Amino acid sequence: MQASEPGSSYAGRDAIEAEAARLLARLNSDPSPDDEAEICAWIEADPRHAVAFARAEAAWDASERLKSAAADITLPPIQQIISEADQRRLSRNIMVAAGVAILLFVVAAIVTVRTFSGVERYETGVGQMRDIALEDGSILHLNSDSEVEARFTSNGRKVRVMKGEASFEISHDPARPFDVEARAAVIRAVGTAFNVRLRPSLVELTVTHGQVTVHCGDSPLQQVAAGSGAVIQPRSISLTRLGPKIVEQRTAWRAQMVELDGETVEQAADEFNRYRKAPILIGDTRVSALRIGGRFRTTDSQEFLSALQLSLPIRVVDGEDGSVMLLYRDNAADGEPPPLA
């Protein structure tokens, strides 16, 4: 690992934030179309630029609101008899309060940079899948209960995965890189195909064609080629070489299928719950660790439940709300003959 000079990262961040502030002031002073294009290009050039610009916008908006509120205040006559020392102390208190208000506003703000071209949002409900032709010729595939935002300009193409899972077939355009933002990670492609899934504590990347680069936090830029994947966490990127079978399993949802290869019943139930409004529940801890294999349709979880009962000591109990409870089947207690070996 190559060490960096002390304070170098802070200096770089300070320079970016100073430039963001300068460009924002320029944007708010009747800019020309050329000015807007230049500012947009700077924002699109680096994810850090976008974050710094959003922070500057938040601080600017908070400051304007404070100025407006201050202009509406009519000072009472009593101020005329306040001593000069008291006035200085009052001014300091107001400045501190204003600074705290601005800081809280910036910290609490949800940073979403909206550039001049606008943002398109695409989403799916539980059990729904969509294939979407984007304006640049790329194809976006959305899995069940997923949501993305897409933003295109003359300088770049950006999609943010907000929830769920998405697969991309990127139209080749070297002059306009295609960036996919998934939590803290930025995945960049020119002409390739890959799959992004947001799991509870990580982002799972699978590349099926071409190659992409991945950047996350302070981690170095990584290249991921077809047949490989990455497990992306806030502070690390772990590359993995995937066999064809695993790639097929991870992308089986595109054909509305779930492929299981020795997963536990608990893992399999979680997978099917992505496509069900009423969940499959584990009602006995002895069921969780049992393992199951097979290929099942996402639209027909009953097929999966039938396979559980036929191949494993599991009893399925239907709930009135459409949910399903999986219980361990004790043949002796149920008065049933033991299964054939």
Short mmCIF file of all heavy atoms in Angstrom, two decimals, residues 5 7-19 42 48-49 52:
data_model
loop_
_atom_site.label_atom_id
_atom_site.label_comp_id
_atom_site.label_asym_id
_atom_site.label_seq_id
_atom_site.Cartn_x
_atom_site.Cartn_y
_atom_site.Cartn_z
N GLU A 5 0.89 11.66 1.49
CA GLU A 5 1.43 12.69 2.35
C GLU A 5 0.35 13.15 3.32
O GLU A 5 -0.82 13.25 2.97
CB GLU A 5 1.89 13.87 1.51
CG GLU A 5 3.06 13.52 0.59
CD GLU A 5 3.48 14.73 -0.19
OE1 GLU A 5 2.94 15.82 0.06
OE2 GLU A 5 4.36 14.59 -1.05
N GLY A 7 -2.29 15.05 5.19
CA GLY A 7 -3.10 16.20 4.83
C GLY A 7 -3.37 16.34 3.34
O GLY A 7 -4.10 17.24 2.93
N SER A 8 -2.79 15.43 2.49
CA SER A 8 -2.98 15.58 1.06
C SER A 8 -4.43 15.39 0.66
O SER A 8 -4.95 16.11 -0.20
CB SER A 8 -2.08 14.60 0.31
OG SER A 8 -2.40 13.27 0.66
N SER A 9 -5.12 14.41 1.27
CA SER A 9 -6.52 14.17 0.93
C SER A 9 -7.39 15.34 1.35
O SER A 9 -8.34 15.71 0.68
CB SER A 9 -7.02 12.88 1.59
OG SER A 9 -6.93 12.98 2.99
N TYR A 10 -7.05 15.94 2.50
CA TYR A 10 -7.82 17.09 2.96
C TYR A 10 -7.62 18.28 2.03
O TYR A 10 -8.55 19.04 1.75
CB TYR A 10 -7.43 17.47 4.39
CG TYR A 10 -7.78 16.40 5.39
CD1 TYR A 10 -6.81 15.53 5.87
CD2 TYR A 10 -9.09 16.26 5.83
CE1 TYR A 10 -7.14 14.54 6.79
CE2 TYR A 10 -9.43 15.27 6.75
CZ TYR A 10 -8.45 14.42 7.23
OH TYR A 10 -8.77 13.43 8.12
N ALA A 11 -6.36 18.48 1.58
CA ALA A 11 -6.09 19.58 0.67
C ALA A 11 -6.89 19.41 -0.62
O ALA A 11 -7.45 20.38 -1.15
CB ALA A 11 -4.59 19.66 0.38
N GLY A 12 -6.93 18.18 -1.15
CA GLY A 12 -7.69 17.93 -2.36
C GLY A 12 -9.17 18.19 -2.17
O GLY A 12 -9.83 18.78 -3.02
N ARG A 13 -9.70 17.76 -1.01
CA ARG A 13 -11.11 17.98 -0.73
C ARG A 13 -11.41 19.46 -0.60
O ARG A 13 -12.43 19.95 -1.10
CB ARG A 13 -11.50 17.24 0.54
CG ARG A 13 -12.99 17.32 0.87
CD ARG A 13 -13.33 16.47 2.06
NE ARG A 13 -12.63 16.93 3.26
CZ ARG A 13 -12.63 16.27 4.42
NH1 ARG A 13 -13.24 15.10 4.51
NH2 ARG A 13 -11.99 16.74 5.47
N ASP A 14 -10.51 20.21 0.07
CA ASP A 14 -10.72 21.65 0.23
C ASP A 14 -10.74 22.35 -1.13
O ASP A 14 -11.54 23.26 -1.36
CB ASP A 14 -9.61 22.26 1.10
CG ASP A 14 -9.73 21.82 2.56
OD1 ASP A 14 -10.81 21.31 2.93
OD2 ASP A 14 -8.75 21.99 3.30
N ALA A 15 -9.86 21.92 -2.03
CA ALA A 15 -9.81 22.54 -3.35
C ALA A 15 -11.10 22.27 -4.13
O ALA A 15 -11.63 23.16 -4.81
CB ALA A 15 -8.60 21.99 -4.14
N ILE A 16 -11.62 21.05 -4.01
CA ILE A 16 -12.87 20.70 -4.70
C ILE A 16 -14.03 21.52 -4.15
O ILE A 16 -14.86 22.06 -4.89
CB ILE A 16 -13.15 19.19 -4.57
CG1 ILE A 16 -12.13 18.39 -5.39
CG2 ILE A 16 -14.56 18.85 -5.02
CD1 ILE A 16 -12.23 16.88 -5.21
N GLU A 17 -14.10 21.63 -2.81
CA GLU A 17 -15.20 22.39 -2.20
C GLU A 17 -15.10 23.87 -2.54
O GLU A 17 -16.12 24.54 -2.74
CB GLU A 17 -15.18 22.17 -0.69
CG GLU A 17 -15.56 20.74 -0.30
CD GLU A 17 -15.56 20.51 1.20
OE1 GLU A 17 -15.09 21.41 1.93
OE2 GLU A 17 -16.03 19.44 1.64
N ALA A 18 -13.88 24.40 -2.62
CA ALA A 18 -13.71 25.81 -3.00
C ALA A 18 -14.17 26.04 -4.44
O ALA A 18 -14.83 27.03 -4.75
CB ALA A 18 -12.24 26.22 -2.84
N GLU A 19 -13.83 25.11 -5.33
CA GLU A 19 -14.25 25.23 -6.72
C GLU A 19 -15.77 25.10 -6.84
O GLU A 19 -16.40 25.82 -7.63
CB GLU A 19 -13.55 24.16 -7.57
CG GLU A 19 -13.92 24.18 -9.05
CD GLU A 19 -13.44 25.43 -9.76
OE1 GLU A 19 -12.72 26.25 -9.15
OE2 GLU A 19 -13.79 25.59 -10.95
N TRP A 42 -18.12 19.94 -15.13
CA TRP A 42 -17.32 19.77 -13.91
C TRP A 42 -18.02 18.85 -12.92
O TRP A 42 -17.38 17.98 -12.31
CB TRP A 42 -17.09 21.14 -13.27
CG TRP A 42 -16.17 21.10 -12.08
CD1 TRP A 42 -14.80 21.11 -12.08
CD2 TRP A 42 -16.55 21.03 -10.70
NE1 TRP A 42 -14.31 21.04 -10.79
CE2 TRP A 42 -15.36 21.00 -9.93
CE3 TRP A 42 -17.78 20.99 -10.05
CZ2 TRP A 42 -15.38 20.92 -8.54
CZ3 TRP A 42 -17.80 20.91 -8.66
CH2 TRP A 42 -16.61 20.88 -7.92
N ARG A 48 -17.01 13.08 -6.56
CA ARG A 48 -16.70 14.00 -5.47
C ARG A 48 -17.13 15.42 -5.80
O ARG A 48 -17.51 16.19 -4.93
CB ARG A 48 -15.20 13.94 -5.15
CG ARG A 48 -14.73 12.60 -4.59
CD ARG A 48 -13.22 12.57 -4.48
NE ARG A 48 -12.59 12.74 -5.79
CZ ARG A 48 -11.27 12.85 -5.98
NH1 ARG A 48 -10.45 12.83 -4.94
NH2 ARG A 48 -10.78 12.99 -7.20
N HIS A 49 -17.07 15.77 -7.09
CA HIS A 49 -17.52 17.09 -7.52
C HIS A 49 -19.02 17.23 -7.26
O HIS A 49 -19.49 18.28 -6.79
CB HIS A 49 -17.24 17.31 -9.00
CG HIS A 49 -15.78 17.34 -9.33
ND1 HIS A 49 -15.31 17.53 -10.62
CD2 HIS A 49 -14.68 17.19 -8.55
CE1 HIS A 49 -13.99 17.50 -10.61
NE2 HIS A 49 -13.58 17.29 -9.37
N ALA A 52 -19.69 17.70 -3.51
CA ALA A 52 -19.28 19.03 -3.06
C ALA A 52 -20.24 20.10 -3.56
O ALA A 52 -20.59 21.04 -2.83
CB ALA A 52 -17.86 19.33 -3.54
#
